Amino acid sequence: MTETTQTHETPDGGHSPYTPRSPEYRAAVNALRGLRQDLFHDAFAYRPMPRPNADGPMARRLPGRMREYAAWTPQAAVAAAGLLAMLVAWTGDGGGPAAPVSGLLALAPVLLTLARPVGAFWLSLMATSVSAVIADDFGDWPWAAGSFVSHLTVLTVVAVRTRPRTAAWMWLVTAAYAFFAETVFGFHFGNDSAPMLVLSAFALLAVTVWHVRRNAAQEVTAQQTETAHERSRRTLLEERTTIARELHDVVAHHMSVVAIQAEAAPYRVENPPPELEKAFATIRENAVAALTELRRVLGVVRAEDYEAPDAPQPTLADLDALLANVREAGLTVDKVVTGAVRELPQGVELSAYRIVQEALSNTLRHAPGASARVEIGYVLGGLGLRIVNGPAPQVAPRESTHGAGHGITGMRERVSMLSGEMTAGDSDDGGYEVTVFLPVAQAEETA
């Protein structure tokens, strides 16, 4: 068996488009791309100079009217520098016929930096060339006196308004222009390329340092703000944890006392009736269950690595035990189930159970002696709940405070967590009604 190797060559000895490029080539391409983006792409786009904040530390020390004028200080400084460049061009040209034109050519690029900064740089280079041609003084080349001041001002203002990379490109283009002017038109007596490059380098370096310091200050301020926010959140969580621990200590003590007394109470009565023993046993079971759930919740609050116990969370299948419990507490409650009963996601089952539990607890607390009705509807796309109680047959020892505690808020938080809907309010017959819909996606039901 023989092997043949074929080599594919591109026409004219060129490289294949799949040939890997050298790091130097990629660096050069990225540099040219940066040059195009900074100095050529949307060079004459309208970017007005923003006004400084009138509530700054310096502006606050000025009176009201002066504070409004102080907002225009940067624009006024740029305009003053432009007028200075025009005056230098006018006087440097000896007052000849070209003096007005040289003055306007020195003023225009400086004023343009207020609206189109990158375009002002290119206009300054063109104005420099025109001023050099029409100037009567052949001593300074390639920048006339007015053009020297104008271009140096333009470089500084544009560097302030853009980023350091743009300033570096402007300095390189200025150096290339100076090299070209000296090479092609090198017969002039004076040469101010070196002073221009040195002074502009120092000016751009100072502006770059200012940019770096300002960005660093902004980052430090942002980090300090974020740190203060996180510290505030941590303090809030610590306060909530403290409240939870204190609540646990208080409630756990009283619930333990209730459980112990309920267990010991039948032994203090000679021949207690079975109903009394059953009632005390129910009280003890409820107290122990409450202590277990309280410890579970507190464990989540206390430790981040807390693992939930293996005991299953209640679901709608445990609703009959809950209704039997509240019936023993004296509440007459009926349950109505409509639709095809099916297993729902655990979060929906648990939230539905807790909502019914809280609604019935509110009925016991705010409408003693009233009857209640729990309606559960298994519908397409979700689960519907309706818990309604009638008016209390007797006046409560204190005024009812529907919605004043955290029960309704807790139910709303559970419904909001599942993207459901909930309404709660007084019913027409003077009772109270809670209606909830918990959506369940079809994929979750079939999972």
Side-chain angles (χ1 to χ4, degrees), residues 255 258-259 261-263 276-289 325 328:
M255 294 299 294
V258 170
Q261 290 180 349
E263 185 176 5
L276 183 60
E277 291 183 352
K278 183 179 179 182
F280 281 122
T282 303
I283 293 173
R284 182 182 181 279
E285 290 175 0
N286 289 335
V288 173
N325 194 358
E328 293 181 358

Side-chain angles (χ1 to χ4, degrees), residues 28 187 262 310:
F187 54 91
D310 296 333

Side-chain angles (χ1 to χ4, degrees), residues 53-62:
N53 189 6
D55 296 331
M58 297 296 296
R60 292 197 204 99
R61 302 177 181 178
L62 300 175

Side-chain angles (χ1 to χ4, degrees), residues 59-323:
R60 292 197 204 99
R61 302 177 181 178
L62 300 175
R65 197 64 178 175
M66 293 296 297
R67 186 181 304 174
E68 297 179 2
Y69 295 149
W72 297 98
T73 301
Q75 288 81 353
V78 173
L83 294 176
L84 176 63
M86 183 180 68
L87 179 62
V88 172
W90 199 301
T91 58
D93 202 20
V101 180
S102 299
L104 292 178
L105 290 176
L107 175 64
V110 178
L111 296 182
L112 190 62
T113 58
L114 299 175
R116 308 178 192 275
V118 179
F121 168 74
W122 293 113
L123 180 61
S124 178
L125 287 180
M126 290 186 292
T128 297
S129 303
V130 175
S131 298
V133 172
I134 66 176
D136 297 333
D137 185 11
F138 293 93
D140 295 328
W141 182 263
W143 280 276
S147 299
F148 189 96
V149 177
S150 175
H151 191 68
L152 189 61
T153 303
V154 169
L155 288 176
T156 305
V157 175
V158 176
V160 170
R161 299 201 55 198
T162 56
R163 52 183 176 178
R165 192 179 72 175
T166 305
W169 282 123
M170 289 191 301
W171 189 88
L172 291 177
V173 172
T174 300
Y177 172 81
F179 177 78
F180 175 80
E182 292 178 5
T183 303
V184 179
F185 306 100
F187 54 91
H188 291 78
F189 297 104
N191 189 320
D192 53 5
S193 296
M196 168 59 73
L197 296 179
V198 172
L199 292 177
S200 61
F202 278 111
L204 297 181
L205 179 61
V207 173
T208 301
V209 172
W210 174 78
H211 272 296
V212 172
R213 290 178 60 87
R214 186 187 63 171
N215 294 337
Q218 291 177 352
E219 292 180 0
V220 170
T221 303
Q223 292 178 358
Q224 290 177 347
T225 303
E226 184 177 359
T227 301
H229 180 65
E230 292 296 331
R231 187 183 299 112
S232 176
R233 291 184 57 188
R234 185 174 66 249
T235 303
L236 178 61
L237 292 177
E238 290 176 354
E239 292 178 355
R240 289 180 177 178
T241 304
T242 302
I243 294 173
R245 292 174 180 175
E246 294 176 351
L247 180 63
H248 168 266
D249 296 338
V250 174
V251 176
H253 170 72
H254 291 288
M255 294 299 294
S256 300
V257 172
V258 170
I260 295 173
Q261 290 180 349
E263 185 176 5
Y267 300 99
R268 298 183 179 181
V269 180
E270 184 177 358
N271 298 324
E275 294 82 2
L276 183 60
E277 291 183 352
K278 183 179 179 182
F280 281 122
T282 303
I283 293 173
R284 182 182 181 279
E285 290 175 0
N286 289 335
V288 173
L291 279 173
T292 302
E293 290 202 13
L294 186 62
R295 291 192 182 100
R296 182 189 298 122
V297 174
L298 185 67
V300 175
V301 174
R302 285 193 175 188
E304 295 180 356
D305 56 350
Y306 174 80
E307 296 182 0
D310 296 333
Q313 295 286 353
T315 62
L316 290 177
D318 304 316
L319 197 58
D320 290 336
L322 173 63
L323 298 182

